[in-house]
Amino acid sequence: MNYKQASTETTMPSATSAPPPRPGDSYVQSFARGLEVIRSFSAQAPRQTLSEVAARSGLTRAGARRILLTLQTLGYVETDGRDFRLTARILDLGFAYLSSMPIWNLAEPVVEALVEAVKESSSAAVLDGTDIVYVMRVPTHKIMKNSLGIGSRLPAYCTSMGRMLLAGLSDTEVRARLDASDLKPLTRHTVTDRDTLLARVQQVRKQGWCLVNQELEEGLISLAAPLVDASGRTVAALNLSGQANRTSARVVQDTLLPPLLDAARQISALLAVKGSA
C-alpha cells in the first residue's frame, strides 16, 4: 500500500482470527457485504470489473453484481458496461461523519492560526484499526513530497499522530493493534520491533506528546499532541510537520512543541465545553 495515497480500505484490529458474525437481528449480512464492495475500491483499484470486485470483496460474482447494481441505482457507483467505479456521492458517507463531529468545526480556526504562526503544515487524525485517518489538514504553501488530504490513511505505528492515539489505549489493546499491523521499515529510521514500539507508546502516554523523526518518510519530522474530550479520553490527535534538512529534531521540539500543545489544549477545552453543554 502506498502510504501517500488515500484509501477506502479498513484494517480492523484483531489479536486472533475470529469467525465472521452470523446473520441475525444485530447483524445484517447484506449490508456488511455492501460495505465490503465499497471498500474494495481504493487508490490502487479505482476501476474494477465485476470479477475483480468479487475477488477483492470475497463475494460470488452474482452477489457482487447485485450489490453493485444496487449502489449504481442509488448513485454511489457508475459503470461503462465493463468497469465499475465509485462516484463523488460516496463522499456523502464520509462527510456525514465529519459533520456529525463538532470537533472539526471547532478545531479549524485554531489550527489555521497555528499554521499561520509557525509556518508549518498541521493535521488532525483519528485512529481506525491499525491506521490513522486524516480528518483535517491545513497545509502551508511549501512544496511537500507527500500529498495528504482528508481521508488519507497512514500506518499508526510509525507516525506521530498514530503513536499519540495508541497512547490513549491500554497496553493490551496497543499490543493487539501492533500484532495486527504490517510492521515494515519505510525508511532506515523506522522502528518495527513490537516491544520497542510499545515502550515508545508508553513514553508518549507518560509525556503527553510524541515526536517521530524520519520513520515515515526520509527528511520528515512530526510532532503530535492529543485532543481530549470532557472525560479526558483521547478522541483525535493534532500534529505539526517539519523538514530535517531545515532544522534538527531538537529544534523542532523546542520551537514547535509549545504552540502545538497550546493549540491542542484550546481545542480540548472547546470540546469539554461542547461535551458538557
Side-chain angles (χ1 to χ4, degrees):
M1 172 177 165
N2 184 343
Y3 69 85
K4 298 177 186 176
Q5 302 281 346
S7 171
T8 56
E9 294 177 303
T10 302
T11 304
M12 297 305 296
S14 175
T16 59
S17 58
R22 288 185 174 183
D25 292 340
S26 61
Y27 183 81
V28 182
Q29 190 175 59
S30 59
F31 181 73
R33 287 173 174 171
L35 292 177
E36 288 300 321
V37 167
I38 292 173
R39 283 196 289 259
S40 73
F41 293 90
S42 67
Q44 291 73 43
R47 303 177 68 93
Q48 300 182 80
T49 64
L50 173 59
S51 296
E52 289 169 338
V53 171
R56 288 172 64 87
S57 58
L59 302 175
T60 64
R61 278 174 53 88
R65 180 176 180 276
R66 286 194 299 271
I67 292 171
L68 285 169
L69 292 179
T70 299
L71 292 171
Q72 183 183 4
T73 300
L74 296 173
Y76 292 109
V77 165
E78 63 184 18
T79 181
D80 59 8
R82 180 182 182 276
D83 292 334
F84 294 86
R85 70 181 184 90
L86 299 177
T87 70
R89 175 171 281 193
I90 205 72
L91 294 174
D92 291 346
L93 304 179
F95 284 124
Y97 163 74
L98 291 174
S99 63
S100 70
M101 297 289 289
I103 176 177
W104 317 128
N105 291 331
L106 295 172
E108 190 168 11
V110 177
V111 177
E112 288 175 346
L114 173 65
V115 170
E116 178 63 25
V118 302
K119 309 302 181 188
E120 298 289 359
S121 298
S122 181
S123 305
V126 297
L127 189 63
D128 181 24
T130 61
D131 292 341
I132 61 170
V133 180
Y134 278 62
V135 293
M136 179 188 298
R137 181 162 174 80
V138 179
T140 63
H141 295 297
K142 299 171 184 174
I143 298 175
M144 304 289 289
K145 286 179 65 178
N146 50 20
S147 54
L148 297 167
I150 293 176
S152 293
R153 306 177 75 91
L154 296 176
Y157 72 92
C158 61
T159 55
S160 63
M161 288 192 288
R163 290 184 189 168
M164 192 74 256
L165 291 164
L166 289 173
L169 306 177
S170 68
D171 283 350
T172 299
E173 182 61 22
V174 173
R175 289 191 186 94
R177 301 214 184 198
L178 292 177
D179 287 343
S181 299
D182 180 15
L183 304 179
K184 57 186 178 184
L186 300 179
T187 75
R188 57 194 173 95
H189 305 283
T190 309
V191 176
T192 57
D193 178 76
R194 284 174 173 77
D195 290 338
T196 303
L197 284 169
L198 177 60
R200 297 280 178 97
V201 171
Q202 290 171 333
Q203 178 61 29
V204 168
R205 186 186 297 137
K206 180 179 180 181
Q207 67 191 19
W209 54 272
C210 179
L211 184 146
V212 169
N213 187 2
Q214 305 183 75
E215 293 191 44
L216 176 70
E217 179 182 295
E218 292 283 352
L220 182 66
I221 304 173
S222 181
L223 278 168
L227 301 179
V228 300
D229 62 14
S231 67
R233 180 175 63 95
T234 298
V235 295
L238 182 70
N239 87 336
L240 283 171
S241 299
Q243 293 294 313
N245 60 0
R246 295 200 312 266
T247 185
S248 67
R250 171 53 63 180
V251 172
V252 167
Q253 179 179 325
D254 291 343
T255 58
L256 297 185
L257 183 58
L260 174 66
L261 290 174
D262 183 59
R265 281 192 289 266
Q266 290 183 56
I267 297 170
S268 296
L270 291 170
L271 283 173
V273 172
K274 187 73 175 180
S276 60

